[in-house]
Each structure stands twice: as structure tokens, then as C-alpha cells.
Amino acid sequence: VRDGHAHLALHEEVLDLRLALEGGEPQNDDGNPGRAAASEFRDGGFNHGAFLLAQGAAARGIELTASIWDVPAWMVTNPGSERNRKIPAELYPELAESMGEWLRTARDVYGAEIAHVSFNEADIGVNVALTPAEHTALIAEVRSRLAARGVRARWLRGDCANMGGCVAYARPIWES
């Protein structure tokens, strides 16, 4: 209250969820990235909790983002590694299918449309490692496939571990 009048400061709220693909599609559903076998995708454990949290936040008008921290072992060339896991380019369509099914479930089952997606700290390979060139190629491939599924989530480019190297990492991605 100032000068006898109430002033309201508005700020936008954002909730960042973990998009846990490793729990959502632990085994490849059918080998055809153009078709999702919905019965093979898991809505349980960590993902179920994320969906419920997203549902409650969406009902309150809170914008949602979802960050991929890890992917299933079948989706990387080094499944025994916990860090610096590498997704080969030929599996980007399968990544898009898995992401699309997760995002579709959030939207269609829980009423929670995700506005933005990202890879968590891929610059240092906390779980998944992507070079700027790989990140650019992945976004290009996955974006069009998500759009074809009716998913409108946009990419956050610069979900980096620290600001010291973020600009150098993100700039080539932004410029693409």
C-alpha cells in the first residue's frame, strides 16, 4: 500500500518440469518413429508426478517448461555411461516420437500444454551431451516432427550449466 492505494505488482510464473523420457519409453515402442504405440509409453512414477504437478500449475495459469535430463539407454550410443550420453542423429526421429508422446499426454490427458522444452545442461553433458552443431540439428529435426503431431512447444536454447560458457555454446544454436 502506497499513498493510501493498493498497488499490485504482476509477475509471470513459470514451472520447469523434468521430462523424464527414460521412464516414459524405457524400451523402443515399435521402431517406427512416425507412429507412437501409446500403450508402450509409461505414465507412472516420476512422470506421473510431473503430469499431476503440471495439471495443477496449468489450472493456475502458470506457464510450463519441460527439460530433458536423460533419455532411455536404447536411445544412446553409450548406454553404460551416466554422463555425456550421446544420441546418434539417426535416432532423433525416435526422440521426437518419445517427446511428442510425453507432451501429448501432458496436454491431452492432464490439460497442461508445455510452452517450452530444453535439454538440461547439455553443454557439459550432465546426462546427455550435445555439441552446438548436434543441438542445432536435433532442434531442426525434432521441431518439425513435434509440429506434425500438433505439439507447439518452443525450444529454449541455452539451458546451460553456467553463464561462463553459455553464450559461446548457445550463440551458434541461436544463429541457426
Side-chain angles (χ1 to χ4, degrees):
V1 176
R2 185 173 17 145
D3 301 328
H5 296 86
H7 296 271
L8 178 62
L10 297 177
H11 68 286
E12 189 170 328
E13 295 180 90
V14 177
L15 175 65
D16 186 24
L17 303 159
R18 180 175 178 189
L19 198 163
L21 295 181
E22 70 278 11
E25 189 182 8
Q27 306 297 322
N28 193 349
D29 66 325
D30 66 3
N32 180 352
R35 176 186 67 226
S39 63
E40 298 300 316
F41 291 83
R42 309 287 190 273
D43 177 359
F46 190 88
N47 280 323
H48 186 68
F51 290 141
L52 291 175
L53 184 59
Q55 183 179 49
R60 290 169 179 78
I62 297 171
E63 184 175 74
L64 302 169
T65 67
S67 299
I68 299 168
W69 286 47
D70 206 354
V71 295
W74 64 266
M75 203 179 280
V76 297
T77 58
N78 53 342
S81 298
E82 290 183 21
R83 303 285 184 246
N84 292 306
R85 292 162 58 94
K86 299 298 286 182
I87 304 169
E90 61 268 16
L91 287 181
Y92 292 173
E94 289 288 352
L95 173 68
E97 175 199 33
S98 193
M99 287 178 68
E101 192 59 21
W102 195 98
L103 295 165
R104 185 207 58 77
T105 298
R107 182 191 67 207
D108 296 352
V109 176
Y110 294 92
E113 183 137 14
I114 307 299
H116 296 94
V117 294
S118 71
F119 267 93
N120 180 66
E121 300 177 349
D123 59 321
I124 63 167
V126 168
N127 293 102
V128 174
L130 296 166
T131 66
E134 290 167 336
H135 212 141
T136 299
L138 184 143
I139 289 171
E141 175 77 25
V142 173
R143 177 191 299 148
S144 64
R145 290 178 177 271
L146 291 178
R149 293 174 177 271
V151 174
R152 298 183 311 216
R154 297 176 57 198
W155 283 90
L156 294 175
R157 298 169 178 93
D159 184 347
C160 297
N162 62 64
M163 291 309 297
C166 191
V167 172
Y169 179 81
R171 178 169 279 131
I173 302 168
W174 297 334
E175 290 174 352
S176 72

